[in-house]
Amino acid sequence: MNFQPKAVGGDLVSRAWSGDMIAPLSDRGQGTAASFVAKTFICDGTKMPAELFISALGLYRCFINGKRVGEDLLTPGWTSYDHRVAYQRYDVSHLIKSGQNRIEIWLADGWYRSPLMWGQKAIPNCWGDRTAAMADLVGPNGVILSTDASWQSGLLPIRKSGIYFGEIYDAREERLVETHGTVTLPFDKALLVAHETAPVRELPAIAPIDTWTDAEGRTIYDFGQNIGGYVLYTVRGAAGAEVRVEHSEVLGPDRYFDNRNYRTAQAHTIYTLRGTGDETYSPHFTFFGFRYARVTVTGNAHIVTISSVPISSLPNLAGSFSSGNALVNRLVQNTIWSQRANFIEVPTDCPQRDERLGWTGDAQVFAATACWLTDSRTFFRKYLRDVMADQREDGAVSHFSPDPTRLHPENFPGFAGSTGWGDAIVVIPWVLYTHYGDRAVLSECLNAMVRWVNFVWSISDGPIVRPPSRWGDRGFTFGDWLQPVGDNRKPRPTIADDCAATLYHFISTDLLAKIAAILGDEVLAERMTGRAEEIRHAFAREFIAPSGRIAHNDQTSYALAFLHDLIPAEHHAAARQHFRQVIVDADYKIGTGFIGTPALLPALTKLGMDDIAEKVFLQEEVPGWLYQVSKGATTIWERWDSMAPDGTIYEPDMNSYNHYAYGAVCQWLFENVAGISPSATAPGFAEVIVDPAPIAALSPVTAHHDVRQGRIEAAWECRGNRVTYRLTLPEGCVGRFRPGLRHQNPSINGEPVAEEAILRPGTHQLVFSLPQS
Ligand code: BGC
């Protein structure tokens, strides 16, 4: 497949490469033994600085004189390879020696050619069918060595590897033999971009908390935490003995090791011993989503030590939230772990089954929470470049990115253009702008945003979007994916696709108008403002009854409509009452799916319905955030009902125990409960909107967030209805507190405040009383 480079994102061409993209002739194609390419070279006596610039088609790991280069995992990473291929740069001065040196580049299928997508229609060789490497070793006097057709190749001990499949490793084959040469591939070096975000790295290993043997004599290890990563173990035994490791997220009844929800992802490793004392192994070119491991040892061998090793692109935290409620604190931890496991090069839906794709809808609803918990700026910026690379000619944004279906639509036609999902191209840049003051990402994505909202306009009869119902048809939408209906004998109201799609039509068009104004594109700002008004009026005409009731009378419609000010003033009070009633009628149980859930509690808080927000958030029955925590979840579940109260596992065909989407509630914990928000007028926390909406039952609450300027800390305690709120702002951050209905008799540092107050850097104590309920 020949590459047609397209300029996407600033720094496409970063350096003049000498090396060529060389493919090992020992390679027998996808799903077969992995290959290496190697070269021996001479360096004269002097110790000198040396840098290695390296990339690959497929995944690589590099060794110089037998020592591994760097600690990054899954390099060069996952991008839309027909548009962009990342490269890494390493200082290898400490690995080069005078005289004869040897460099080896190990190659494996990775995301580049492993089968991707679910079920029997998985697509192999998505971006190409040959693995290849490219490298320049550069010293003070220029290039010392670079990849060309003089390099040799051979097979690795990795007998098979694949993202979903796992890895088979035969340690008896570790003595590498060069059996073949290499060939230069036609490759456009303009596709190479310096890796744009943090590398994937290991987090501290986790020891088993429990272990037992099953009826077949296999050993099960419970690591206590569901992760994205792999099992690392040391084994001792005879050559030829084998260790098989399987993975699962949950146990069925009687501790049954249940990974049916992995679907066609085999997700296992097999290691064959070389029989020379302690042998340590973990997979090189894949990872799994799991909490439990099942180990089968065949032959004379035994496990000496074993641990699970989480990996992530964003291991470090930039924020924390804790309260007086242990379940809520665990929910925040579960969100952190789901982010870690799904922020591995790409924001994926899940890390375990035959999916693990960069779903745009999930990423957009979770983006703000992601930025509260970690510094996600470069991670999302890289992702947005892949989203733009995958955008279709007609402006449709793909359902996930990097998108394996774009080049192979035969199996999965029309996987683009869903409202709520495609809107990621407008929403995520906006989140990066407000959180980091990143104006550049707005301008870099502006053209793609305009193409998207024009696409949505084109699938609608004007402002009202009427999506087709068949998946794959142009304009199909996921609506409010997984919106619960409660008891299906008497299902609760859910939103219809036209309403969900029109809501997002408004959200993105309105946001684009604001973005155009910030970027000084007055013409575009005016056009989009006009179009947003048109959609607003049409929405009211189409979906709001004279009684103020929204058409489908479901929680998602009210939450999104109120959050985005789509309810006309004359209907506000009545609609508010209808909103309240649908929640009371549902026994304060959640009635929202992927797009409604992040809006539900912020909308209730915005309307001053803190009592309802508290009841919905703190109820422990299904559907509910705390239900899954009470069932022992250590990550966020894909479905509210992923596990029944009796522990029965919901239908495994689409049931992940590690989907971060519903963890988007953490944005509400930071912005409403802890009361600190970024401001669109002074982004990047130059200004902090201070508007705490304390939930007394959560007292005491503490939160922090590390921003460019330093650490912001907010904490409050509630005694009776009296709240004492402490806020610390670093230099460069100014707080803006506007007392509202929930801040009775407010004072700051002992001084009563009536009007809006500006809070200078430093520590402030606000005291106010909550209204009597
Ligand atoms: C994915 C979700 C995604 C949804 C949309 C699911 O299979 O796991 O993350 O948002 O499909 O349809």
Side-chain angles (χ1 to χ4, degrees):
M1 180 170 60
N2 288 332
F3 294 96
Q4 303 308 323
K6 289 194 191 125
V8 173
D11 49 6
L12 252 186
V13 180
S14 53
R15 60 181 302 275
W17 288 82
S18 313
D20 295 321
M21 190 60 84
I22 58 168
L25 290 169
S26 53
D27 176 34
R28 290 287 164 271
Q30 182 269 316
T32 65
S35 288
F36 68 91
V37 296
K39 180 80 174 176
T40 303
F41 60 100
I42 305 296
C43 276
D44 64 29
T46 50
K47 196 91 194 94
M48 62 178 170
E51 282 195 302
L52 180 70
F53 297 84
I54 181 166
S55 185
L57 303 178
L59 297 176
Y60 79 81
R61 203 170 268 196
C62 183
F63 301 85
I64 293 179
N65 297 326
K67 297 232 172 28
R68 185 169 157 198
V69 174
E71 298 162 355
D72 304 345
L73 303 171
L74 306 171
T75 46
W78 190 10
T79 49
S80 296
Y81 297 125
D82 59 320
H83 287 273
R84 307 154 15 83
V85 178
Y87 70 85
Q88 282 71 27
R89 170 185 192 157
Y90 296 104
D91 176 352
V92 292
S93 315
H94 60 296
L95 299 174
I96 304 288
K97 59 186 166 92
S98 76
Q100 178 149 319
N101 291 266
R102 177 179 166 78
I103 180 169
E104 280 169 20
I105 306 175
W106 292 25
L107 296 166
D109 295 3
W111 292 285
Y112 182 74
R113 71 174 190 187
S114 292
L116 294 178
M117 304 296 291
W118 50 85
Q120 304 320 316
K121 294 201 289 182
I123 307 169
N125 303 315
C126 291
W127 284 276
D129 55 10
R130 303 193 74 162
T131 55
M134 185 161 162
D136 280 359
L137 180 63
V138 181
N141 312 322
V143 174
I144 300 167
L145 171 83
S146 52
T147 44
D148 62 25
S150 71
W151 286 50
Q152 297 303 299
S153 70
L155 295 181
L156 289 169
I158 295 166
R159 310 323 281 176
K160 181 171 179 165
S161 95
I163 294 293
Y164 302 160
F165 171 82
E167 191 170 283
I168 296 179
Y169 187 97
D170 186 338
R172 297 168 300 181
E173 304 292 339
E174 279 175 343
R175 204 175 61 74
L176 302 190
V177 184
E178 294 170 5
T179 53
H180 293 72
T182 57
V183 61
T184 298
L185 289 185
F187 174 73
D188 188 324
K189 301 176 185 179
L191 297 177
L192 289 161
V193 293
H195 191 256
E196 294 154 320
T197 186
V200 180
R201 287 284 179 84
E202 293 187 346
L203 280 81
I206 301 173
I209 60 167
D210 190 4
T211 181
W212 61 93
T213 305
D214 70 7
E216 285 78 23
R218 299 168 294 194
T219 309
I220 317 286
Y221 296 90
D222 176 3
F223 294 102
Q225 177 60 56
N226 200 15
I227 66 161
Y230 39 70
V231 169
L232 167 75
Y233 59 83
T234 297
V235 60
R236 197 177 302 150
E242 233 182 52
V243 179
R244 170 193 287 267
V245 177
E246 299 160 277
H247 305 83
S248 90
E249 295 182 296
V250 289
L251 301 174
D254 317 322
R255 300 207 289 183
Y256 167 69
F257 186 88
D258 191 342
N259 60 10
R260 292 168 299 147
N261 66 329
Y262 288 28
R263 303 194 302 214
T264 62
Q266 289 177 278
H268 70 312
T269 62
I270 300 176
Y271 177 88
T272 305
L273 282 73
R274 60 176 177 269
T276 55
D278 283 359
E279 301 179 42
T280 297
Y281 173 74
S282 62
H284 301 68
F285 294 119
T286 188
F287 63 96
F288 310 106
F290 69 102
R291 168 176 168 166
Y292 304 92
R294 179 165 66 190
V295 176
T296 311
V297 175
T298 314
N300 166 15
H302 66 278
I303 298 291
V304 180
T305 60
I306 189 164
S307 61
S308 82
V309 181
I311 67 171
S312 185
S313 294
L314 298 183
N316 306 321
L317 295 178
S320 71
F321 177 96
S322 74
S323 74
N325 180 310
L327 290 179
V328 169
N329 298 345
R330 181 70 235 188
L331 176 72
V332 175
Q333 289 307 311
N334 291 3
T335 307
I336 289 169
W337 279 105
S338 273
Q339 180 180 3
R340 284 174 173 158
N342 286 297
F343 271 41
I344 296 175
E345 271 293 308
V346 164
T348 54
D349 60 326
C350 59
Q352 74 302 86
R353 66 186 182 211
D354 54 359
E355 199 158 352
R356 308 185 197 180
L357 297 165
W359 284 90
T360 44
D362 309 44
Q364 72 93 355
V365 296
F366 189 72
T369 291
C371 293
W372 277 110
L373 295 173
T374 62
D375 180 346
S376 301
R377 181 178 181 188
T378 61
F379 186 85
F380 274 128
R381 193 151 171 186
K382 170 232 178 254
Y383 175 63
L384 287 167
R385 289 177 176 162
D386 293 315
V387 169
M388 289 191 279
D390 286 317
Q391 190 172 19
R392 306 302 197 262
E393 291 305 317
D394 66 357
V397 167
S398 55
H399 294 340
F400 33 73
S401 199
D403 181 2
T405 74
R406 178 168 52 77
L407 299 170
H408 308 274
E410 56 283 356
N411 290 9
F412 296 86
F415 265 55
S418 167
T419 53
W421 272 246
D423 299 282
I425 194 59
V426 182
V427 172
I428 298 179
W430 179 253
V431 170
L432 299 186
Y433 173 71
T434 54
H435 272 259
Y436 305 109
D438 189 344
R439 210 167 168 281
V441 73
L442 295 181
S443 50
E444 186 178 342
C445 298
L446 186 66
N447 178 35
M449 296 179 193
V450 173
R451 293 176 57 222
W452 166 249
V453 295
N454 286 345
F455 166 81
V456 179
W457 184 263
S458 77
I459 57 172
S460 56
D461 59 353
I464 301 297
V465 184
R466 302 192 194 287
S469 58
R470 210 163 50 121
W471 191 328
D473 285 0
R474 187 169 186 276
F476 166 87
T477 181
F478 296 112
D480 190 14
W481 188 252
L482 292 178
Q483 186 174 17
V485 296
D487 178 337
N488 57 20
R489 290 165 300 179
K490 198 172 170 318
R492 294 207 190 96
T494 56
I495 193 169
D497 287 353
D498 58 354
C499 184
T502 305
L503 278 163
Y504 260 95
H505 192 192
F506 173 81
I507 292 168
S508 279
T509 306
D510 180 54
L511 211 42
L512 181 53
K514 290 194 182 85
I515 291 168
I518 288 165
L519 294 174
D521 187 334
E522 295 314 325
V523 176
L524 178 63
E526 200 180 322
R527 191 154 58 83
M528 288 303 151
T529 305
R531 192 188 282 183
E533 282 317 298
E534 215 181 317
I535 302 168
R536 180 198 300 279
H537 296 304
F539 179 85
R541 262 196 321 274
E542 181 81 17
F543 297 111
I544 302 179
S547 67
R549 194 182 129 114
I550 291 191
H552 312 288
N553 203 34
D554 69 295
Q555 295 181 21
T556 296
S557 302
Y558 289 112
L560 286 168
F562 273 115
L563 200 60
H564 295 279
D565 302 317
L566 277 162
I567 309 282
E570 67 272 22
H571 292 310
H572 207 273
R576 182 179 184 281
Q577 187 46 40
H578 283 297
F579 185 17
R580 186 183 186 90
Q581 198 55 46
V582 286
I583 299 175
V584 173
D585 293 348
D587 236 356
Y588 305 102
K589 296 226 174 70
I590 289 176
T592 53
F594 274 36
I595 61 168
T597 298
L600 182 62
L601 301 181
L604 290 169
T605 301
K606 182 176 178 178
L607 295 166
M609 297 204 267
D610 301 8
D611 56 334
I612 303 281
E614 175 175 341
K615 284 197 173 78
V616 172
F617 181 57
L618 295 179
Q619 66 92 16
E620 295 176 22
E621 288 172 38
V622 62
W625 282 282
L626 301 187
Y627 166 75
Q628 52 190 274
V629 181
S630 69
K631 294 300 296 170
T634 60
T635 42
I636 303 292
W637 293 353
E638 173 177 26
R639 317 173 69 100
W640 294 118
D641 55 0
S642 284
M643 190 184 286
D646 65 359
T648 320
I649 290 179
Y650 184 90
E651 164 56 46
D653 237 11
M654 196 188 85
N655 188 6
S656 144
Y657 291 88
N658 201 344
H659 254 66
Y660 53 55
Y662 287 146
V665 70
C666 290
Q667 179 183 1
W668 175 74
L669 291 174
F670 280 98
E671 298 186 7
N672 296 106
V673 178
I676 45 175
S677 298
S679 139
T681 49
F685 291 94
E687 182 180 273
V688 179
I689 307 295
V690 182
D691 185 9
I695 302 273
L698 289 179
S699 181
V701 159
T702 60
H704 88 267
H705 186 47
D706 297 327
V707 294
R708 182 175 48 73
Q709 300 88 332
R711 174 164 292 200
I712 299 170
E713 292 173 327
W716 58 260
E717 194 168 4
C718 192
R719 293 181 186 285
N721 70 337
R722 189 172 164 74
V723 175
T724 305
Y725 183 90
R726 272 174 66 80
L727 177 74
T728 301
L729 297 171
E731 278 309 319
C733 291
V734 168
R736 186 181 290 276
F737 171 62
R738 189 176 298 127
L741 294 176
R742 58 173 67 83
H743 312 120
Q744 315 269 314
N745 313 319
S747 69
I748 298 179
N749 306 328
E751 296 300 318
V753 277
E755 302 300 309
E756 180 174 89
I758 299 300
L759 305 166
R760 297 279 154 223
T763 297
H764 304 273
Q765 177 155 304
L766 284 67
V767 177
F768 56 87
S769 304
L770 297 173
Q772 296 294 353
S773 44

